[in-house]
């Protein structure tokens, strides 16, 4: 991977984060625009918010790539490292339900279960696509990244419990994480 490809990855991920935040923000806050809020100011604010989560996503992705290499080196076996990731993934999904249950008792059971299972389902779809484009061994690491790392990146907003902020942050995170994981193998193998 050369600097030209890294710059491409950085700026396309930044644009995806900003655009996805603007789209979700406009859908969720349309009443503010109808009530006279400045459309330009709202778009600029949402774009900046999306840029922030795009950068968080990129830091998380490169941190995971480093941890993945360490994991492969420490466990000396792809299968063992995959089982470790599955165990941590199960723990993260359970905690995403249980810790929200403890912190926000007023949330319905549907809401508490929907978030971890929707994140798991989206991660499984992305992991399946990655596996089809590369190899079978890509499924578990991709699923782990899409669920566990996204959850870690999402923690500051999860603590707030506000549904508007949850949506404004998770959509750019998922879009950016999916983009990065699905484009990297193409960038690495692409001749430039």
């Amino acid at each position: 991977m050369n600097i030209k490809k890294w710059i491409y990855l950085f700026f396309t991920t930044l644009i995806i984060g900003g655009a996805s935040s603007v789209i979700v923000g406009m859908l969720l806050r349309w009443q503010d625009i109808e009530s006279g809020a400045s459309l330009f100011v709202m778009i600029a604010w949402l774009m900046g918010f999306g840029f922030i989560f795009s950068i968080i996503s990129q830091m998380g992705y490169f941190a995971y790539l480093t941890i993945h290499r360490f994991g492969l080196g420490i466990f000396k076996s792809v299968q063992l490292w995959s089982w470790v990731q599955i165990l941590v993934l199960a723990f993260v999904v359970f905690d995403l339900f249980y810790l929200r249950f403890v912190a926000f008792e007023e949330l319905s059971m549907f809401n508490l279960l929907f978030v971890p299972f929707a994140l798991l389902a989206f991660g499984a779809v992305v992991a399946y696509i990655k596996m089809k484009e590369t190899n079978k061994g890509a499924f578990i690491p991709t699923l782990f990244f899409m669920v566990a790392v996204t959850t870690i990146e999402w923690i500051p907003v999860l603590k707030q419990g506000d549904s508007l902020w949850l949506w404004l942050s998770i959509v750019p995170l998922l879009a950016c994480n999916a983009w990065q994981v699905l484009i990297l193998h193409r960038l690495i193998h692409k001749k430039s």
Side-chain angles (χ1 to χ4, degrees):
M1 176 111 141
N2 59 30
I3 192 71
K4 181 180 174 185
K5 291 177 184 179
W6 181 82
I7 289 172
Y8 172 80
L9 181 63
F10 177 81
F11 282 107
T12 54
T13 307
L14 198 67
I15 290 167
I16 288 170
S20 61
S21 182
V22 168
I23 291 167
V24 170
M26 297 298 277
L27 292 173
L28 294 176
R29 303 299 298 208
W30 189 253
Q31 72 275 8
D32 290 346
I33 296 168
E34 289 178 340
S35 68
S38 171
L39 180 64
F40 177 74
V41 171
M42 181 174 274
I43 289 173
W45 187 87
L46 289 169
M47 184 74 73
F49 190 79
F51 287 167
I52 290 168
F53 278 91
S54 165
I55 290 170
I56 291 170
S57 166
Q58 292 181 54
M59 288 187 306
Y61 187 53
F62 285 104
Y64 172 71
L65 290 175
T66 303
I67 290 168
H68 183 67
R69 283 287 139 203
F70 282 136
L72 289 171
I74 290 169
F75 293 103
K76 306 282 189 218
S77 163
V78 174
Q79 289 81 18
L80 183 57
W81 175 232
S82 292
W83 280 108
V84 169
Q85 289 180 95
I86 290 170
L87 181 66
V88 172
L89 181 64
F91 183 73
V92 167
V93 170
F94 174 75
D95 275 356
L96 195 53
F97 163 76
Y98 182 72
L99 294 178
R100 291 179 66 233
F101 172 74
V102 170
F104 307 107
E105 294 175 359
E106 69 278 358
L107 291 176
S108 69
M109 189 58 69
F110 172 78
N111 188 325
L112 291 169
L113 290 173
F114 175 77
V115 169
F117 287 114
L119 190 57
L120 194 59
F122 184 81
V125 169
V126 173
Y128 179 78
I129 294 168
K130 178 74 170 190
M131 179 185 73
K132 285 296 185 184
E133 291 181 359
T134 57
N135 59 55
K136 288 182 192 178
F139 187 83
I140 298 298
T142 304
L143 182 63
F144 179 84
F145 170 72
M146 289 301 299
V147 177
V149 176
T150 300
T151 301
I152 292 168
E153 296 165 346
W154 202 24
I155 284 175
V157 180
L158 278 173
K159 289 180 179 180
Q160 303 308 312
D162 184 354
S163 63
L164 174 66
W165 293 106
L166 290 173
W167 282 106
L168 279 176
S169 57
I170 193 61
V171 171
L173 283 174
L174 288 174
C176 292
N177 285 344
W179 168 253
Q180 291 175 103
V181 82
L182 292 175
I183 196 69
L184 186 64
H185 65 276
R186 294 181 190 136
L187 288 176
I188 290 173
H189 296 298
K190 185 174 155 183
K191 303 283 187 227
S192 60

